[in-house]
Amino acid sequence: MGRQPCCAKVGLKKGPWTAEEDQKLVAFLLSHGHCCWRLVPKLAGLLRCGKSCRLRWTNYLRPDLKRGLLSDDEEKLVIDLHAELGNRWSKIAARLPGRTDNEIKNHWNTHIRKKLKKMGLDPVTHQPVVPCATRPDDPLENLLPDPDHAPCDEPPKASSQEPTGSAHDNEDEEAPKQDAACSASSASAAVSPSSCSSSSASASVATPGGPDAVDWPDSVDLFQVDALIDMDWASILSGSGGGDIGVDLFDHCSDVAFDQEVWM
DNA sequence: AAACGAATCAACCGCATGTCT
DNA sequence: CAGACATGCGGTTGATTCGTT
């Protein structure tokens, strides 16, 4: 049997999220945390699949997200970590509190890669680029002005990505638990550890961020969010009797001065 | 001011992995 | 142990924004 698609695709919305959808999702997650993402859209009253909700929360709505360009220090760290870990964006993001794997991946592809190339470094191996002329077997590529697409710029994957299994096996041991707990790729982890959420959250609030930065009100207590994430879902669901969870989704939002207008 | 191309980034897709029964 | 299912991850796409002509 093939696996079920992540959601019954029929009737589910795709594409950019509206402010109203964001509001529903945030209100729901702040009130109840999440148990299984598949149920979140249903319970929050969203016509989205759980995957989409998770992604939206992880990459955009989480209260501890920093917004805006990576600082020089962060960029340096990303480069170092990439040299160490390869394209393991989630692992890299885990070492940068308040940053998401998607954000780092995008930043890498749009900014850092170019920078490294300008510096004459191979963005994959982090070694000085070997001139294509040394590869006479591919005359067509040698004509390309942009090394981006030249094969000589793309060494065998194994050279930079860890040899299958090895790095994968080690990385979790190498990464301190604390850092892992700050993982940007896990919504629950992202808001739960007090050590990182408190620091990164304050940073995110303080950071001017991009124009569309999610401006979380100071009154959002991330420790409280932490607790919410770990709520007793069994009881919530058993009392829900299906779609109706018996809780006003926006009930708790007065506490956090929830205002989507302000965010956007 | 309009048209065009490049750059950016949010979101999607499919596969991998972990967990449960 | 195998199959089903949920979640996580990395690659890719496409809409939007920005800069240049």
Side-chain angles (χ1 to χ4, degrees), chain A residues 45-93:
Chain A
L46 292 164
L47 285 172
R48 297 274 183 174
C49 74
K51 213 171 178 177
S52 183
C53 292
R54 180 178 62 80
L55 209 65
R56 183 65 177 169
W57 172 258
T58 303
N59 288 335
Y60 196 80
L61 297 174
R62 267 168 43 203
D64 63 336
L65 279 182
K66 286 183 201 171
R67 306 292 297 180
L69 286 176
L70 273 70
S71 67
D72 287 348
D73 285 346
E74 285 176 316
E75 208 172 279
K76 243 185 113 182
L77 183 55
V78 168
I79 293 170
D80 288 346
L81 290 170
H82 185 271
E84 182 188 336
L85 301 168
N87 290 4
R88 313 193 72 81
W89 305 115
S90 63
K91 299 292 174 194
I92 294 172

Side-chain angles (χ1 to χ4, degrees), chain A residues 89-262:
Chain A
W89 305 115
S90 63
K91 299 292 174 194
I92 294 172
R95 309 268 194 103
L96 285 109
R99 299 295 185 182
T100 71
D101 52 354
N102 207 33
E103 190 179 11
I104 291 171
K105 183 171 58 182
N106 281 335
H107 190 79
W108 178 271
N109 288 329
T110 57
H111 293 103
I112 300 179
R113 234 161 48 133
K114 283 181 202 162
K115 257 187 199 175
L116 290 179
K117 281 175 185 168
K118 261 187 189 168
M119 294 162 63
L121 296 175
D122 185 314
V124 179
T125 63
H126 297 254
Q127 302 298 315
V129 178
V130 179
C132 292
T134 63
R135 296 273 307 275
D137 54 316
D138 200 343
L140 182 61
E141 292 296 351
N142 289 344
L143 293 175
L144 291 173
D146 179 7
D148 197 1
H149 302 293
C152 63
D153 199 26
E154 305 282 342
K157 280 196 173 175
S159 64
S160 70
Q161 315 283 5
E162 74 291 343
T164 310
S166 64
H168 216 106
D169 296 337
N170 296 335
E171 65 205 0
D172 287 333
E173 292 150 25
E174 285 172 10
K177 282 284 177 218
Q178 209 173 347
D179 286 342
C182 294
S183 167
S185 61
S186 158
S188 58
V191 292
S192 54
S194 54
S195 60
C196 71
S197 62
S198 57
S199 60
S200 61
S202 59
S204 75
V205 170
T207 305
D212 54 349
V214 176
D215 185 14
W216 284 84
D218 291 342
S219 57
V220 173
D221 184 343
L222 291 173
F223 297 100
Q224 204 176 356
V225 173
D226 179 17
L228 288 167
I229 295 293
D230 297 325
M231 280 183 66
D232 180 5
W233 268 85
S235 63
I236 292 172
L237 293 175
S238 65
S240 72
D244 181 11
I245 59 174
V247 178
D248 182 352
L249 292 177
F250 303 99
D251 222 0
H252 296 62
C253 294
S254 55
D255 295 339
V256 296
F258 184 89
D259 186 355
Q260 184 72 26
E261 298 287 329
V262 174

